[in-house]
Amino acid sequence: MKELIKKVPVPLCGLMLGTAALGNLLQSYSEIAKNVCGLIAAFLLILMLLKIICFPSMIGEEMKNPVSASVMGTCSMGIMILSTYLKPYIGQAAFVVWAIAVFLHILLIIYFSFKFIMKLDMTKVFASYYIVYVGIVTASVTAPAFEMTTFGNFAFWFGFITFVLLFILVSIRHVKFTQIPDPAKPLICIYTAPLSLCIAGYIQSVTPKSLNFVIAMLIVATAIYVFALIQAIKCLKFAFYPSFASFTFPFVISAIAAKQTMAFAAKQEVVLPLLDYLLLFEIVVAVAFVVYTLIGFMKFIFVKK
């Protein structure tokens, strides 16, 4: 059993996050689908926690690598989302889980800033850096469940400002240094996550809201989505890498952003008919990538080679 746990890679957190978010995306269509996603995400989280408990030194080594350290942020993000799953069963005790996850993510921001940003090496900059800083916007998305929208508002603006700064930094890195090893290439798909996450966080926690601002963000997010989808399709030719977790949450949160934008526009009595087709397409893509990646990880961890 210990050898099996030893094989659990840090990017499994990304799959856990994507699966938990997929449950929220599918909830309005099927409560069963949401619960199934929640159970799978909880199982993946348990595997990751066992890895942290049984092999802390391995996790410590991972935290010395900027990519692995940044990807670890998906763990706290996933716990924030899973805390909303727990609320109907344990009530306000779920707030403690949420608060711990938020605290851990803030600690990661501080650690990452001192460890990697203060000694910036452009060749080691990847799209995964978005997870650390923009990832806190997950608190904005989940804050209303715990009546913490004031904090959610702050988290959104922090995430949005850092998104703009990181978009410039990460883009310069990919233009200037084009040599990227195959295992890291799927990380480019993370590009589509931060702005879509900001849309969801803005709609959930910011007041007053501007429909024009939301639509402007969605237009830019959709353009980035197309770019990321093309890159993801190109990466499918590779053998499975744990970095394939990048195919999950980014495409799920893009669909959530489209869905929430459509609902917000409807409340303003504005009809956006094209969003119906975009949403349907993005849901199909999100489900396909999560299922594909989940199968890949289960083979990677449980199937003997």
Side-chain angles (χ1 to χ4, degrees):
M1 181 65 178
K2 230 177 173 185
E3 284 304 308
L4 187 146
I5 296 301
K6 191 175 183 180
K7 290 170 64 179
V8 173
V10 168
L12 186 72
C13 295
L15 174 60
M16 179 270 290
L17 168 62
T19 307
L22 182 64
N24 286 338
L25 173 62
L26 299 177
Q27 182 179 15
S28 59
Y29 306 106
S30 169
E31 195 69 33
I32 293 175
K34 180 192 176 181
N35 291 333
V36 169
C37 287
L39 288 171
I40 293 172
F43 170 69
L44 298 176
L45 176 59
I46 290 170
L47 287 178
M48 196 64 233
L49 291 177
L50 287 173
K51 174 69 173 282
I52 293 171
I53 293 168
C54 296
F55 300 97
S57 60
M58 289 182 69
I59 298 300
E61 284 301 312
E62 294 276 13
M63 292 301 290
K64 295 177 183 177
N65 181 296
V67 174
S68 298
S70 56
V71 170
M72 188 60 82
T74 56
C75 186
S76 50
M77 292 168 67
I79 295 172
M80 285 183 222
I81 294 178
L82 284 176
S83 69
T84 65
Y85 279 76
L86 292 174
K87 189 180 177 185
Y89 305 101
I90 63 174
Q92 281 303 310
F95 171 72
V96 177
V97 178
W98 181 83
I100 290 172
V102 171
F103 177 70
L104 289 173
H105 203 93
I106 292 172
L107 282 183
L108 176 64
I109 291 172
I110 295 170
Y111 168 80
F112 198 88
S113 298
F114 281 99
K115 181 73 175 177
F116 303 110
I117 300 299
M118 299 290 284
K119 305 169 186 176
L120 191 64
D121 180 350
M122 286 297 289
T123 62
K124 295 180 180 179
V125 172
F126 291 94
S128 60
Y129 280 36
Y130 287 125
I131 297 169
V132 178
Y133 297 96
V134 190
I136 194 64
V137 180
T138 309
S140 307
V141 177
T142 52
F146 303 105
E147 299 178 359
M148 292 291 291
T149 51
T150 299
F151 178 80
N153 178 66
F154 169 79
F156 164 77
W157 287 111
F158 175 86
F160 183 76
I161 292 169
T162 52
F163 159 70
V164 175
L165 296 175
L166 281 173
F167 186 81
I168 297 170
L169 178 68
V170 177
S171 297
I172 289 174
R173 183 264 188 260
H174 281 280
V175 170
K176 193 172 181 181
F177 302 97
T178 56
Q179 293 301 313
I180 298 173
D182 287 350
K185 284 181 179 176
L187 295 175
I188 195 70
C189 298
I190 298 174
Y191 248 101
T192 195
L195 192 54
S196 292
L197 180 60
C198 285
I199 292 171
Y202 179 84
I203 291 174
Q204 289 293 97
S205 287
V206 178
T207 52
K209 308 181 215 306
S210 165
L211 180 59
N212 288 335
F213 183 49
V214 171
I215 292 175
M217 283 195 290
L218 185 66
I219 290 171
V220 176
T222 302
I224 299 173
Y225 176 91
V226 172
F227 165 77
L229 182 58
I230 292 171
Q231 301 309 310
I233 293 170
K234 288 180 180 178
C235 289
L236 290 176
K237 67 183 179 182
F238 299 139
F240 178 83
Y241 295 117
S243 57
F244 276 26
S246 304
F247 296 158
T248 59
F249 181 70
F251 292 104
V252 173
I253 195 63
S254 295
I256 289 174
K259 187 178 183 181
Q260 291 194 353
T261 299
M262 192 164 64
F264 177 50
K267 285 182 181 178
Q268 309 296 312
E269 298 183 346
V270 175
V271 180
L272 301 171
L274 288 178
L275 265 186
D276 285 323
Y277 302 103
L278 177 65
L279 176 59
L280 178 60
F281 175 79
E282 291 190 356
I283 289 175
V284 171
V285 170
V287 171
F289 272 134
V290 170
V291 171
Y292 174 81
T293 307
L294 178 62
I295 293 171
F297 267 96
M298 292 305 97
K299 288 181 179 178
F300 183 83
I301 296 170
F302 294 103
V303 177
K304 290 184 178 180
K305 295 181 180 179

